[in-house]
Amino acid sequence: MTGDTVNGRPARAGDRVVWIAGLAAGVLFLLVLLGGHWTLLGRDPLGGFYDLQAHSFGDLRWDVAAGPLGIEAFLIDGKAYTYYGPWPAVLRLPVTLFTHALDGRLTQLSMLLAFGVALFFTVRLTNRVRVLVSPHDPVTRAERWTVAAFVFVVGAGSVFLFLASRAFVYHEAELWGAALAIGAFEFIVAYATAPGRRNLLIASGLTSLAFLTRGSVGAGPVAALGLLLLASLWGPTRRFVGLPERARGLGTWVPLGIAVSVPIALYAGVNFAKFGTFFSLPLDQQYFSQINAARQAALDANGGSLFGL
């Protein structure tokens, strides 16, 4: 490092010590994920939902076998559906297209991969923010160790470590949703600091995957893109968020409008293909709602929803 740059680029805090901190967090995550059993191919009764969905994708359909879903099954027109997003199932296709031998045994590997993606994008996001806030100040040793500590805590002192405590569909969905959302935020910041098609395309793609994995988590980067879209409509707000004050051609609002529309359209399309609704779930048709009196009372009290005044 010389002066205020590293190899001619703005100084960044993410170097070897930061990656080592991420690796240390990964070791702790792995130990909890293993749970004392030295295999990453363990089986959980609620760990095979995505395998079912992957096999149905191989047959070009959304419905799955009802039995393994248990109380989570949505029973519509004599077919069973899962409300979980498709991305973790898509990841399984290279395996499920050729064998059933690993059905229900891929959750730990998927969660470990999701954790690695989350920490990878966390380090990149700290660099993006660093360049955004203080692009020319040299990186000090104190800053380097502070960022390393932050990355370690994200991996080993956050909900990520709790999610490693059991390898089943609920935790896998949360891990992938968070990992992809962090990645989306990284490229949203990248686009705000250096507007370009590549950054916006990747931001929209990662946002779509996050939204298609865990809607409540993916809604975060969708909202962030929406805020950038609103800011792009006026010169003063464009300058405030870092976009060019004077737009060229179609401006920045058209590509931003497309970028925020894609994840919303994909989510609505998948939901409609399964349930015939764009954004809501037919909770009255979930098997759990048909056997649980408290759920039935809650739905009756809130017009078929679990939420209401």
Side-chain angles (χ1 to χ4, degrees), residues 44-54 64 67-73 82-84 89 92 104 107 169-170 172:
D44 187 280
L46 298 176
F49 290 10
Y50 288 126
D51 303 279
L52 288 172
Q53 188 69 84
V64 299
L69 296 181
I71 62 173
E72 295 287 11
T82 172
Y83 66 87
Y84 293 97
R92 286 165 162 77
T107 305
V169 63
Y170 308 105
E172 184 180 358

Side-chain angles (χ1 to χ4, degrees), residues 5 23 40 50 67 89 156 168 173 180-181 184 211 224 237 249 305-306:
T5 63
L23 180 61
L40 283 173
Y50 288 126
F168 62 167
L180 294 165
F211 209 26
T237 51
S305 171
L306 293 179

Side-chain angles (χ1 to χ4, degrees), residues 86-262:
W87 173 243
V90 172
L91 285 176
R92 286 165 162 77
L93 283 174
V95 176
T96 58
L97 286 176
F98 300 101
T99 181
H100 286 264
L102 295 177
D103 286 1
R105 295 182 179 275
L106 297 172
T107 305
Q108 285 174 296
L109 288 173
S110 177
M111 291 174 63
L112 185 61
L113 178 60
F115 178 84
V117 171
L119 266 289
F120 173 77
F121 281 125
T122 296
V123 174
R124 287 177 57 98
L125 184 56
T126 61
N127 286 330
R128 294 286 189 191
V129 173
R130 208 285 178 181
V131 173
L132 178 67
V133 174
S134 187
H136 302 299
D137 294 336
V139 178
T140 65
R141 179 175 297 179
E143 179 186 354
R144 186 174 290 113
W145 281 96
T146 299
V147 173
F150 170 77
V151 170
F152 178 80
V153 170
V154 168
S158 72
V159 70
F160 284 151
L161 195 63
F162 165 75
L163 294 176
S165 64
R166 185 174 176 185
F168 62 167
V169 63
Y170 308 105
H171 290 184
E172 184 180 358
E174 293 290 348
L175 265 170
W176 270 114
L180 294 165
I182 294 172
F185 283 127
E186 191 244 311
F187 278 95
I188 291 171
V189 173
Y191 176 77
T193 55
R197 293 181 180 178
R198 177 181 178 275
N199 286 335
L200 188 58
L201 179 63
I202 297 176
S204 181
L206 289 171
T207 297
S208 299
L209 293 180
F211 209 26
L212 289 173
T213 299
R214 191 66 173 170
S216 56
V217 180
V222 170
L225 284 172
L227 289 173
L228 277 183
L229 172 60
L230 289 176
S232 71
L233 299 178
W234 300 279
T237 51
R238 283 199 296 268
R239 184 173 64 252
F240 178 76
V241 298
L243 297 174
E245 187 170 351
R246 292 186 177 182
R248 299 178 180 178
L250 294 176
T252 55
W253 70 270
V254 173
L256 275 169
I258 296 173
V260 75
S261 298
V262 167

Side-chain angles (χ1 to χ4, degrees), residues 260-273:
V260 75
S261 298
V262 167
I264 295 174
L266 288 174
Y267 182 92
V270 170
N271 215 63
F272 188 82

